[in-house]
Amino acid sequence: LKHPSGHSVPLLREPQPKSARPLYIRLYQRIRAGVLNGALPPGTRLPSARTLAREEGISRNTVEAALHQLQAEGFVVRKTGAGTWISDELPTRLLRPRRSSGEAGKAPRGGDPSPLSEKPPSLSTCGRRVTEVGGEEAEPVGLLFAPCVPGLAALPLDGWNRIATRHTRRANASTLFQPPPAGLPVLREAVAQYLHMDRGIECTAEQIIILNSTQQGINLVARLLLNEGDAVWFEDPGYRSARRALVAAGARPVPVPVDEEGIDVTHGASVAPEARLVYVTPSHQYPTGVTLSLSRRLELLAWAEASGGWILEDDYDSELRYEGRPLAAVQGIDRSERVLYAGTFNKILFPGLRVAYLVLPRPLVGPFARAKEVTDGFTPPLVQRVLAEFINEGHFSIHLRRVREVYRERRDRFLAVAGDVLPPHARLGPSEAGMHVALHFGGGVDDRDVSEKARRRGLAVPALSSYCIQSEARGLLVHYGHAPVADIERGTRQLAELL
Ligand SMILES: Cc1ncc(COP(=O)(O)O)c(C=O)c1O
């Protein structure tokens, strides 16, 4: 194909990276790129489809399909019997070579689109914070003891799939159209009843906002209740994803030590009395596994009431308790409406589900529903509907009974083998609840090094120090929940060898 100046404009012929795209798309894209970067100016006459096919070594139908697409999009004009031209209605001044960071102003060779700029984008203050706090990628499937992986065999997929199929087949307005941003009433009602019966939570369905994740809840809390630079008491060691969300939102997490009674409220009140929020995991502190004592719960509530601060209670795996009765949620003993309670189905069912919720003091319900709508509209109604029915038909309680048994057996096996094979400098943390146990090391052990070595052997056991801000806790986290007992035995022995 010839440019009006006489030089040749290669289309398909120049060396191309292997592409799975059909030939006609490739021809279409190259002519389009030629037009956009000025190599094929408006008014250029294209060879006939037959000539193009011969020159490019492709079939005439392929050329026709490409030209048809270009015509439909307004890049070329075709006149029957006369030929095909690059449309001369295109504004020439807007057609120019793309610039790449290294060669601003230079035309890319051969009319090929240049690579996208490698210059870092200019981001807002918030954008820079979001990228700087980094992210947490899911561990590759197959690594033993990895966090956030449920036991697949323990999932109630038969019941779930039956309900899901029914609702997909009988789709109607309640699953196809936009639900209220706070969630489907049927699910909010089901969650309220479950929380009342199982967790001693005092709330009505109207106080529940359905979200995609606890993570979304933490983001909304930061957006609605915190100003730039506001102090937040943060458990140290604590849940990394929560800290990242707070930092990204411009809040200032203040490390507050965790001891055998949970977060040290007296310490928090002395280092940051002005804090606007406390983020806590009272039922099963993440990652240490301790339970917040009743006296600390009362101290925390008294502090919040006196200071006007908020408590964000993240009850991420409270369904799994193997010994003793669970303490009532902090929300359940709050008399001053200072607690926002976060629960999730992503942990006890499966992480791809994306359904969680916040139980809110009444005055906050309106603002949170609005914030949910402003930030992502709503949680998919089909999945809300299926989950509601899954709870209402009793599958959820059957699932809970079942996984408590399965995870208890796995925990017992882990504790028994660990007790036999782990060296004395490795001490096990509390293990009455949840799907993981913290393994604490005595002084001097580099837990990141051990974690790295374990990873090379297929064990995903994060270093405890990676959850610390100032705390000097060292050790590993072992998420035994997803692993069959034989794997738990093998993995625990491997860990012991490393230690
Ligand atoms: C402390 C804590 N909170 C919350 C969650 C649940 O997160 P989400 O609902 O955001 O998936 C997890 C999951 O591992 C967690 O460890």
Coordinates of all heavy atoms in Angstrom, one line a residue, residues 24-65:
Y24 N -8.6 -10.7 9.5 CA -9.3 -9.5 9.1 C -9.2 -8.4 10.2 O -9.1 -7.2 9.9 CB -10.7 -9.8 8.7 CG -11.7 -9.7 9.8 CD1 -12.4 -8.5 10.1 CD2 -12.0 -10.8 10.6 CE1 -13.4 -8.5 11.1 CE2 -13.0 -10.8 11.6 CZ -13.6 -9.6 11.9 OH -14.5 -9.5 12.9
I25 N -9.2 -8.8 11.5 CA -9.0 -7.9 12.6 C -7.6 -7.2 12.5 O -7.5 -6.0 12.7 CB -9.2 -8.6 13.9 CG1 -10.6 -9.1 14.1 CG2 -8.9 -7.6 15.1 CD1 -11.6 -8.1 14.6
R26 N -6.6 -8.1 12.2 CA -5.3 -7.5 12.1 C -5.2 -6.5 11.0 O -4.6 -5.4 11.2 CB -4.3 -8.6 12.0 CG -4.1 -9.4 13.3 CD -3.4 -10.7 13.1 NE -2.1 -10.6 12.5 CZ -1.4 -11.6 12.0 NH1 -1.9 -12.8 12.1 NH2 -0.2 -11.4 11.5
L27 N -5.7 -6.8 9.8 CA -5.7 -5.8 8.7 C -6.4 -4.6 9.1 O -6.0 -3.4 8.9 CB -6.3 -6.5 7.5 CG -6.3 -5.6 6.2 CD1 -4.9 -5.2 5.8 CD2 -7.0 -6.3 5.0
Y28 N -7.6 -4.8 9.7 CA -8.4 -3.6 10.1 C -7.7 -2.7 11.1 O -7.6 -1.5 10.9 CB -9.7 -4.1 10.7 CG -10.3 -3.2 11.8 CD1 -11.1 -2.1 11.5 CD2 -10.1 -3.5 13.2 CE1 -11.6 -1.3 12.5 CE2 -10.6 -2.7 14.1 CZ -11.4 -1.6 13.8 OH -11.9 -0.8 14.8
Q29 N -7.0 -3.4 12.0 CA -6.3 -2.6 13.1 C -5.1 -1.8 12.5 O -4.8 -0.7 12.9 CB -5.8 -3.5 14.2 CG -6.9 -3.9 15.1 CD -6.5 -4.9 16.2 OE1 -5.5 -5.6 16.0 NE2 -7.2 -4.9 17.3
R30 N -4.4 -2.5 11.5 CA -3.2 -1.8 10.9 C -3.7 -0.6 10.1 O -3.0 0.4 10.1 CB -2.4 -2.8 10.2 CG -1.8 -3.9 11.1 CD -0.7 -4.6 10.5 NE 0.4 -3.7 10.3 CZ 1.3 -3.3 11.2 NH1 1.1 -3.7 12.5 NH2 2.3 -2.5 11.0
I31 N -4.8 -0.7 9.3 CA -5.2 0.4 8.5 C -5.7 1.5 9.5 O -5.4 2.7 9.3 CB -6.3 0.0 7.5 CG1 -5.7 -1.0 6.5 CG2 -6.9 1.2 6.8 CD1 -6.7 -1.5 5.4
R32 N -6.4 1.1 10.5 CA -6.9 2.1 11.4 C -5.7 2.8 12.1 O -5.7 4.1 12.2 CB -7.7 1.4 12.5 CG -8.5 2.4 13.4 CD -9.2 1.7 14.5 NE -8.2 1.0 15.4 CZ -8.6 0.5 16.6 NH1 -9.8 0.5 16.9 NH2 -7.7 -0.1 17.3
A33 N -4.7 2.1 12.5 CA -3.5 2.7 13.1 C -2.9 3.7 12.1 O -2.4 4.8 12.5 CB -2.5 1.6 13.6
G34 N -2.8 3.2 10.9 CA -2.2 4.1 9.8 C -2.9 5.4 9.7 O -2.3 6.5 9.6
V35 N -4.3 5.4 9.8 CA -5.1 6.6 9.7 C -4.8 7.5 10.9 O -4.5 8.7 10.8 CB -6.6 6.2 9.6 CG1 -7.4 7.5 9.6 CG2 -6.9 5.4 8.3
L36 N -4.9 6.8 12.1 CA -4.8 7.6 13.3 C -3.4 8.2 13.5 O -3.3 9.3 14.1 CB -5.1 6.8 14.6 CG -6.6 6.3 14.7 CD1 -6.8 5.4 15.8 CD2 -7.5 7.5 14.8
N37 N -2.3 7.6 13.0 CA -1.0 8.2 13.2 C -0.5 9.0 12.0 O 0.6 9.4 12.0 CB 0.0 7.1 13.6 CG 0.4 6.2 12.5 OD1 0.2 6.5 11.3 ND2 0.8 5.0 12.9
G38 N -1.4 9.2 11.1 CA -1.1 10.1 10.0 C -0.4 9.5 8.8 O -0.1 10.1 7.8
A39 N 0.0 8.2 8.9 CA 0.6 7.5 7.8 C -0.3 7.4 6.6 O 0.2 7.4 5.4 CB 1.1 6.1 8.2
L40 N -1.6 7.3 6.8 CA -2.5 7.2 5.7 C -3.5 8.5 5.8 O -4.5 8.4 6.5 CB -3.4 5.9 5.8 CG -2.6 4.6 5.6 CD1 -3.6 3.5 5.9 CD2 -2.2 4.5 4.2
P41 N -3.1 9.6 5.2 CA -3.9 10.8 5.4 C -5.2 10.7 4.7 O -5.4 9.9 3.8 CB -3.0 11.9 4.7 CG -1.8 11.2 4.3 CD -1.9 9.7 4.3
P42 N -6.2 11.5 5.2 CA -7.5 11.6 4.6 C -7.4 11.8 3.1 O -6.5 12.5 2.6 CB -8.1 12.8 5.2 CG -7.4 12.9 6.5 CD -6.0 12.5 6.3
G43 N -8.2 11.1 2.4 CA -8.2 11.2 0.9 C -7.4 10.1 0.2 O -7.4 9.9 -1.0
T44 N -6.5 9.4 1.0 CA -5.6 8.4 0.3 C -6.5 7.3 -0.3 O -7.5 6.8 0.4 CB -4.7 7.7 1.4 OG1 -4.0 8.8 2.1 CG2 -3.8 6.7 0.8
R45 N -6.2 6.9 -1.5 CA -7.0 5.9 -2.1 C -6.4 4.5 -1.7 O -5.1 4.4 -1.9 CB -7.0 6.1 -3.6 CG -7.8 5.0 -4.3 CD -8.0 5.3 -5.7 NE -8.9 4.3 -6.2 CZ -9.5 4.4 -7.4 NH1 -9.3 5.4 -8.2 NH2 -10.3 3.4 -7.7
L46 N -7.2 3.6 -1.3 CA -6.6 2.3 -1.0 C -6.7 1.4 -2.3 O -7.6 1.7 -3.1 CB -7.5 1.6 0.1 CG -7.5 2.3 1.5 CD1 -8.4 1.4 2.4 CD2 -6.1 2.4 2.0
P47 N -5.8 0.5 -2.4 CA -5.9 -0.4 -3.6 C -7.2 -1.2 -3.6 O -7.8 -1.2 -2.5 CB -4.7 -1.4 -3.4 CG -3.8 -0.8 -2.3 CD -4.7 0.1 -1.5
S48 N -7.6 -1.8 -4.7 CA -8.8 -2.5 -4.7 C -8.7 -3.7 -3.7 O -7.5 -4.1 -3.4 CB -9.1 -3.1 -6.1 OG -8.1 -4.1 -6.4
A49 N -9.8 -4.3 -3.3 CA -9.8 -5.4 -2.4 C -9.0 -6.5 -3.0 O -8.2 -7.2 -2.3 CB -11.2 -5.8 -2.1
R50 N -9.1 -6.7 -4.3 CA -8.4 -7.9 -5.0 C -6.9 -7.6 -4.9 O -6.1 -8.5 -4.5 CB -8.9 -8.0 -6.4 CG -8.2 -9.2 -7.1 CD -8.5 -9.1 -8.6 NE -9.8 -8.7 -8.8 CZ -10.5 -9.0 -9.9 NH1 -10.1 -9.8 -10.7 NH2 -11.8 -8.6 -10.0
T51 N -6.5 -6.4 -5.2 CA -5.0 -6.1 -5.1 C -4.5 -6.2 -3.7 O -3.5 -6.8 -3.5 CB -4.8 -4.7 -5.6 OG1 -5.5 -4.4 -6.8 CG2 -3.3 -4.4 -5.8
L52 N -5.3 -5.7 -2.8 CA -4.9 -5.8 -1.4 C -4.7 -7.2 -1.0 O -3.7 -7.6 -0.3 CB -5.9 -5.1 -0.4 CG -5.6 -3.7 0.0 CD1 -6.8 -3.2 0.9 CD2 -4.3 -3.7 0.8
A53 N -5.7 -8.1 -1.4 CA -5.6 -9.5 -1.0 C -4.3 -10.1 -1.6 O -3.6 -10.9 -0.9 CB -6.8 -10.2 -1.5
R54 N -4.0 -9.8 -2.8 CA -2.8 -10.4 -3.4 C -1.6 -9.9 -2.7 O -0.7 -10.6 -2.3 CB -2.8 -10.0 -4.9 CG -1.9 -10.9 -5.7 CD -1.8 -10.5 -7.2 NE -1.5 -9.2 -7.4 CZ -2.2 -8.2 -8.0 NH1 -3.4 -8.6 -8.4 NH2 -1.8 -7.0 -8.1
E55 N -1.5 -8.5 -2.5 CA -0.3 -7.9 -1.9 C -0.1 -8.5 -0.5 O 1.0 -8.7 -0.1 CB -0.4 -6.4 -1.8 CG -0.1 -5.7 -3.1 CD -0.2 -4.2 -2.9 OE1 -0.5 -3.7 -1.7 OE2 0.0 -3.5 -3.9
E56 N -1.2 -8.7 0.2 CA -1.0 -9.1 1.6 C -1.0 -10.6 1.8 O -0.8 -11.1 2.9 CB -2.2 -8.5 2.5 CG -2.3 -7.0 2.4 CD -1.1 -6.3 2.9 OE1 -0.4 -6.8 3.9 OE2 -0.7 -5.2 2.4
G57 N -1.3 -11.3 0.7 CA -1.3 -12.8 0.8 C -2.4 -13.3 1.6 O -2.2 -14.3 2.4
I58 N -3.6 -12.7 1.5 CA -4.7 -13.2 2.3 C -5.9 -13.3 1.3 O -5.9 -12.8 0.2 CB -5.1 -12.2 3.5 CG1 -5.2 -10.8 3.0 CG2 -4.0 -12.3 4.5 CD1 -5.5 -9.8 4.1
S59 N -7.0 -13.8 1.8 CA -8.2 -14.0 0.9 C -8.9 -12.7 0.7 O -8.9 -11.8 1.5 CB -9.1 -15.1 1.4 OG -10.0 -14.5 2.4
R60 N -9.7 -12.6 -0.4 CA -10.4 -11.4 -0.7 C -11.5 -11.2 0.4 O -11.8 -10.1 0.8 CB -11.0 -11.5 -2.1 CG -11.7 -10.3 -2.4 CD -11.6 -10.0 -3.9 NE -12.6 -9.0 -4.1 CZ -13.2 -8.8 -5.3 NH1 -13.0 -9.6 -6.3 NH2 -14.1 -7.8 -5.4
N61 N -12.1 -12.3 0.8 CA -13.2 -12.2 1.9 C -12.6 -11.5 3.1 O -13.3 -10.7 3.8 CB -13.7 -13.5 2.2 CG -14.7 -14.0 1.2 OD1 -15.1 -13.2 0.3 ND2 -15.1 -15.3 1.3
T62 N -11.4 -11.9 3.4 CA -10.7 -11.3 4.6 C -10.6 -9.8 4.5 O -10.9 -9.0 5.4 CB -9.4 -12.0 4.9 OG1 -9.6 -13.4 4.9 CG2 -8.7 -11.5 6.1
V63 N -10.1 -9.4 3.3 CA -10.0 -8.0 3.0 C -11.3 -7.3 3.1 O -11.5 -6.2 3.7 CB -9.3 -7.7 1.6 CG1 -9.3 -6.2 1.3 CG2 -7.9 -8.3 1.6
E64 N -12.3 -7.9 2.5 CA -13.7 -7.3 2.5 C -14.2 -7.1 3.9 O -14.8 -6.1 4.2 CB -14.7 -8.2 1.7 CG -14.6 -8.1 0.2 CD -14.9 -6.7 -0.3 OE1 -15.6 -5.9 0.4 OE2 -14.5 -6.4 -1.5
A65 N -13.9 -8.1 4.8 CA -14.4 -8.0 6.1 C -13.7 -6.8 6.8 O -14.4 -6.1 7.6 CB -14.1 -9.3 6.9

